[in-house]
Amino acid sequence: MDTRKLEQFVAVAQEGGFGRAARRLGVSQPALTRGIALLEAELGTRLFDRGPRGAVISAAGDKLLPHALSIINEASRAMAELDPGHLATQGQVRIGVSPNFLDAAMPRALALIAARAPHINVQVSTGTREVLTAGLMARELDAALCLVPDFLRAGQRETAELSFDPLGTILLEPYVRAGHRLAGRPVTVQDVAGERWAIPFELSLSYRFASLFFRLGLTAPQQALNSAHLPLIRQATMQGDLIAILPKTQAHADVAAGHLVALDLPDMRFDYLAGLMLRRAIVVETPLLRIVTDALRSVALESA
């Protein structure tokens, strides 16, 4: 049984006559009649009862119809999925993303990916660079968009198993809520040494933060909140008296809306390099991975 005969059967059943079905299929009526006769002979049963009002589907034909439609649809789907152009833009890609990019940049990246590869399945996880590196090396991730401390740049560009493509620099700096007693005031590192802080789980930020105070002979302040979820840090800062270290790109809208105020503390501005990590074995990217990495590069550059 071939699908062409089933398509002829479905056309006659749906059109209610051989003449209309033949016109729909673009074949002659005698050729269509022969095709249906061959299908009936193959199945050993009559599929239509011929009468003055046309072809009326028989009880056997009525049972065959849903199966015929299913077979035709599955065959069409298989042909579409085996098309080279479709194969290049379908499948699954696993992306690891630094918390810095998760909420603001990734929705834009996913929109760019969907526009070019609507059949793709994207799995997104988040974590620090160490977590993402481990995921890449374990082949649990295909690509990672992350932050690396600027002073580690040379060491991260080439490793035994991973490549790092630097895309720009992200600045993190201290913020307080509008109305905080330090908002809008000239302050020094000594002035904020006794405050409660919110520090993201991001690479060496906690270490760099504490080291700054140690170098000045000060006791490191209390890190009252650590989280990889930057919206939580922003909200906790706006609703309390915390000082938060946040990416400038993440705080921009809250500053513009008058909810957050940046503290003028040049010593507490931390630069991080944003970049794309891939396993060296797949540096030559497949078409599907290229679509994903193009989108990640685009949003990283916008965020930088």
Side-chain angles (χ1 to χ4, degrees), residues 14-259:
Q14 291 177 338
E15 296 295 337
F18 282 79
R20 290 187 295 274
R23 288 191 293 273
R24 167 175 153 180
L25 295 172
V27 299
S28 68
Q29 185 170 334
L32 177 59
T33 301
R34 286 194 300 272
I36 295 297
L38 288 172
L39 181 60
E40 288 177 328
E42 184 178 348
L43 295 174
T45 188
R46 179 175 287 277
L47 299 174
F48 296 99
D49 296 318
R50 283 75 166 174
R53 294 186 177 180
V56 179
I57 193 166
S58 68
D62 196 50
K63 290 181 180 179
L64 176 62
L65 183 59
H67 298 292
L69 288 168
S70 177
I71 291 169
I72 292 167
N73 289 337
E74 287 300 317
S76 298
R77 182 184 301 176
M79 293 298 293
E81 291 184 355
L82 289 173
D83 178 76
H86 184 82
L87 286 172
T89 57
Q90 70 166 345
Q92 181 185 88
V93 175
R94 302 160 302 173
I95 305 171
V97 184
S98 162
N100 184 71
F101 298 105
L102 187 62
D103 297 293
M106 275 310 297
R108 296 199 305 276
L110 292 172
L112 293 173
I113 293 167
R116 295 180 61 188
H119 302 289
I120 188 176
N121 170 253
V122 181
Q123 294 190 356
V124 179
S125 58
T126 188
T128 63
R129 186 196 64 83
E130 291 83 358
V131 170
L132 301 182
T133 297
L136 282 167
M137 295 179 69
R139 289 173 168 71
E140 296 169 353
L141 295 174
D142 300 307
L145 183 62
C146 63
L147 299 182
V148 174
D150 193 48
F151 59 82
L152 289 181
R153 174 174 178 172
Q156 291 300 324
R157 282 193 58 85
E158 296 291 337
T159 66
E161 297 188 40
L162 304 178
S163 69
F164 181 76
D165 180 15
L167 301 174
T169 300
I170 302 293
L171 175 67
L172 290 88
E173 58 185 357
Y175 293 87
V176 294
R177 64 173 175 83
H180 191 284
R181 60 186 180 78
L182 297 180
R185 287 179 44 193
V187 291
T188 65
V189 175
Q190 287 80 0
D191 293 330
V192 297
E195 301 294 326
R196 298 169 66 249
W197 288 76
I199 308 296
F201 280 132
E202 193 67 69
L203 300 161
S204 60
L205 185 55
S206 288
Y207 170 77
R208 295 175 72 183
F209 171 81
S211 295
L212 172 66
F213 290 91
F214 293 150
R215 288 198 305 270
L216 295 175
L218 301 171
T219 300
Q222 177 191 1
Q223 295 187 30
L225 173 62
N226 295 112
S227 176
H229 192 58
L230 296 180
L232 171 62
I233 291 180
R234 286 171 38 233
Q235 289 296 325
T237 303
M238 287 187 285
Q239 296 180 34
D241 287 326
L242 295 170
I243 305 178
I245 299 290
L246 288 168
K248 188 174 182 179
T249 52
Q250 289 276 327
H252 174 75
D254 293 321
V255 171
H259 301 314

